[in-house]
Amino acid sequence: MKKDLPVIIVGGGPVGLAAAAELHEKEKAFVVVEAGTGPGTNFLDYGHVRLFSPWKYNINNAARRLLTKYKVPLPDPEKLPLGKDIVTEYLLPLAELPEMKPNIYFGTRVVHISRKGFDKVKSKGRKEAPFHIIAETADGERKVLEGGAVIDATGTWERPNSLIPGGDLSTEKRMNRIFYEIPNNKQAESSVYINSNTAVVGSGHSAMQSLLELLEVQKSHPETTISWVHRKPDTLEALGGGDQDQLPARGDLGRLIKSAWESGKIQVFESFYIESVNEKNDQLTLSGRQNNESNETEPFDYIICNTGSRPSFDFLGELRWDRDAALECVPALAPLIDPNVHSCGTVRPHGEKELRQPEENVYIIGAKSYGRAPTFLLATGYEQARSVAAYIAGDKAEAAEVHLELPETGVCSAEPASRSPLTIAVSGGCCS
């Protein structure tokens, strides 16, 4: 690596800024390039949502030491932050510090990375060439940077999965009654969901959070009806580990949804594989297979699609990079996080060695390293950042010494004590 060139960090979210803090601590120059107008833009998209992991899992240690140096007050480690709190109480103060601010470009999107003077095919002399980065501001200004290493921490922001498995997202987005964000019940009086018939599609925590927000709208507007459509054969499986979850708030989320479902406030379509969505008379109907039989839902006024997200690799095209064919994650992580075989969010400690790409000194870390797998926690990304930064700074022993302690979800060992009867309705879908 060209030792006099900075490390280019693409993405100014929690993991990108953690990598910056780790590099600063190791006296290694860095530049952060972030497409959003400020740090952690993704968190502002669901700023009203309370995370189920407390602050102690959400602040990087090197960043904490830097904030403490300037006597910046830190949140209660046991408190649960809102999405917006991650930005206002942590990322914004961190980005404003003199060690960080001069090295961060906000409102600037990386559009291309290559080895200077090399296409993807040419090998001789490649390792000695610096990285050539092209970025653009919102008003079209182009910036050209050179770096000695690249850390891609762009996450999966603005890249939702489709409503139909394997479907065409661009077609779905032309239907103006399909939304991909978690609703905000604090805006209930102006919400489009008031007295509507709305379906939430997805089986993860985002879907359950959307259901919870709609239940709040339903409290003040009882004519609001809510449906939950997911592919799990057993809804109890989607509800998580309950009392066995080491993050109590995560377990509480499942219990609240279970209570609403059992009391009839939520209609559930389980084991429903969507094959098409049809729009007619300002309503949407889902068609597919349920328990291996053709079925069609009732018409919905709105559909909230919370089926996960995926990474984008557009700007990496001229680099030699690799991903798992199915999960689109860093290949070495695939057998550890594959949701086809793993039902919990645990993953063994991993760092620079597992994250390195075929292109020397290129790393994909954070949520993007997990690809389409849904079980990422910030604590994982922080350990990735620490290990990668150590290696780039020349401390290979520190890079190899990785530790990761994640709270168990409880769903791997917990067996449901009983199975509540479920009525299947038949008409005439990070980690934090």
Side-chain angles (χ1 to χ4, degrees):
M1 187 180 74
K2 296 291 185 180
K3 297 185 182 300
D4 56 335
L5 290 175
V7 178
I8 306 299
I9 302 168
V10 189
V15 177
L17 292 189
E22 296 284 356
L23 288 164
H24 165 73
E25 199 164 75
K26 294 167 178 60
E27 300 182 344
K28 187 67 189 173
F30 66 87
V31 172
V32 177
V33 186
E34 163 60 37
T37 56
T41 308
N42 183 42
F43 279 86
L44 294 179
D45 287 346
Y46 54 97
H48 59 289
V49 176
R50 190 165 300 281
L51 278 63
F52 47 69
S53 54
W55 274 110
K56 64 183 179 183
Y57 291 111
N58 293 316
I59 296 182
N60 165 258
N61 287 332
R64 180 184 286 106
R65 289 189 286 269
L66 195 54
L67 290 164
T68 301
K69 172 184 174 182
Y70 288 93
K71 296 181 171 56
V72 176
L74 296 175
D76 180 346
E78 299 300 329
K79 181 182 177 182
L80 297 174
L82 295 170
K84 66 180 180 181
D85 297 337
I86 296 292
V87 176
T88 59
E89 297 184 35
Y90 171 41
L91 297 180
L92 275 174
L94 178 63
E96 286 294 315
L97 296 181
E99 290 87 346
M100 304 287 281
K101 187 173 182 178
N103 306 312
I104 303 176
Y105 294 110
F106 289 121
T108 307
R109 184 180 298 274
V110 170
V111 296
H112 183 81
I113 304 179
S114 64
R115 289 279 191 176
K116 188 175 183 179
F118 286 76
D119 62 24
K120 193 170 188 174
V121 176
K122 187 177 179 182
S123 297
K124 186 177 181 180
R126 185 179 188 86
K127 292 181 180 180
E128 289 71 41
F131 292 98
H132 180 74
I133 294 93
I134 302 174
E136 294 179 350
T137 64
D139 57 9
E141 178 187 352
R142 178 163 283 207
K143 294 182 183 293
V144 178
L145 305 169
E146 287 191 1
V150 172
I151 297 176
D152 180 355
T154 53
T156 56
W157 181 39
E158 296 182 333
R159 296 277 299 177
N161 285 334
S162 57
L163 181 71
I164 302 168
D168 178 11
L169 189 63
S170 62
T171 299
E172 291 176 15
K173 284 195 168 185
R174 288 197 289 269
M175 299 181 180
N176 60 14
R177 289 176 173 268
I178 301 176
F179 302 108
Y180 299 85
E181 302 83 17
I182 296 172
N184 186 352
N185 71 68
K186 301 297 189 299
Q187 301 170 350
E189 295 310 312
S190 60
S191 171
V192 298
Y193 302 112
I194 292 174
N195 297 331
S196 71
N197 182 15
T198 298
V200 176
V201 177
S203 59
H205 294 102
S206 293
M208 287 195 286
Q209 185 64 48
S210 288
L211 291 169
L212 204 60
E213 297 286 330
L214 290 174
L215 286 167
E216 289 298 313
V217 175
Q218 190 184 68
K219 282 183 182 178
S220 53
H221 301 277
E223 293 184 23
T224 303
T225 58
I226 307 167
S227 295
W228 185 14
V229 182
H230 63 78
R231 291 186 292 177
K232 295 282 188 183
D234 185 337
T235 298
L236 289 180
E237 181 185 343
L239 295 174
D243 292 335
Q244 301 298 317
D245 198 315
Q246 291 182 3
L247 291 179
R250 186 167 58 188
D252 288 344
L253 181 59
R255 282 195 293 270
L256 289 169
I257 300 304
K258 182 174 184 288
S259 175
W261 157 41
E262 291 178 336
S263 63
K265 295 176 182 177
I266 298 174
Q267 178 179 224
V268 176
F269 295 79
E270 71 181 4
S271 193
F272 196 104
Y273 287 75
I274 301 170
E275 295 177 342
S276 65
V277 54
N278 307 297
E279 189 172 24
K280 184 178 180 181
N281 298 328
D282 292 329
Q283 288 190 308
L284 300 167
T285 302
L286 298 174
S287 299
R289 299 195 66 79
Q290 187 175 29
N291 298 321
N292 294 320
E293 294 183 2
S294 297
N295 193 12
E296 184 176 86
T297 68
E298 63 190 84
F300 300 116
D301 297 313
Y302 301 100
I303 293 175
I304 299 171
C305 178
N306 293 150
T307 55
S309 56
R310 64 185 70 182
S312 170
F313 300 96
D314 292 347
F315 58 80
L316 296 176
E318 283 302 311
L319 296 179
R320 296 174 177 180
W321 60 278
D322 198 8
R323 61 179 173 177
D324 178 72
L327 296 183
E328 298 185 341
C329 65
V330 173
L333 299 186
L336 310 176
I337 61 177
D338 186 350
N340 291 296
V341 294
H342 291 280
S343 59
C344 63
T346 57
V347 58
R348 69 170 172 80
H350 64 275
E352 183 277 336
K353 180 180 178 181
E354 291 82 4
L355 296 168
R356 64 179 66 160
Q357 288 290 324
E359 188 84 64
E360 188 171 333
N361 292 316
V362 172
Y363 298 92
I364 296 174
I365 69 174
K368 187 170 181 176
S369 73
Y370 271 45
R372 299 192 186 201
T375 51
F376 176 77
L377 288 173
L378 283 181
T380 305
Y382 293 159
E383 181 63 4
Q384 293 176 341
R386 185 206 59 76
S387 176
V388 168
Y391 190 89
I392 290 174
D395 193 338
K396 295 183 179 180
E398 182 185 339
E401 188 69 25
V402 291
H403 303 278
L404 188 61
E405 294 183 10
L406 298 179
E408 297 274 1
T409 64
V411 298
C412 290
S413 57
E415 293 293 334
S418 62
R419 174 70 164 96
S420 300
L422 176 62
T423 301
I424 305 297
V426 181
S427 68
C430 52
C431 269
S432 311

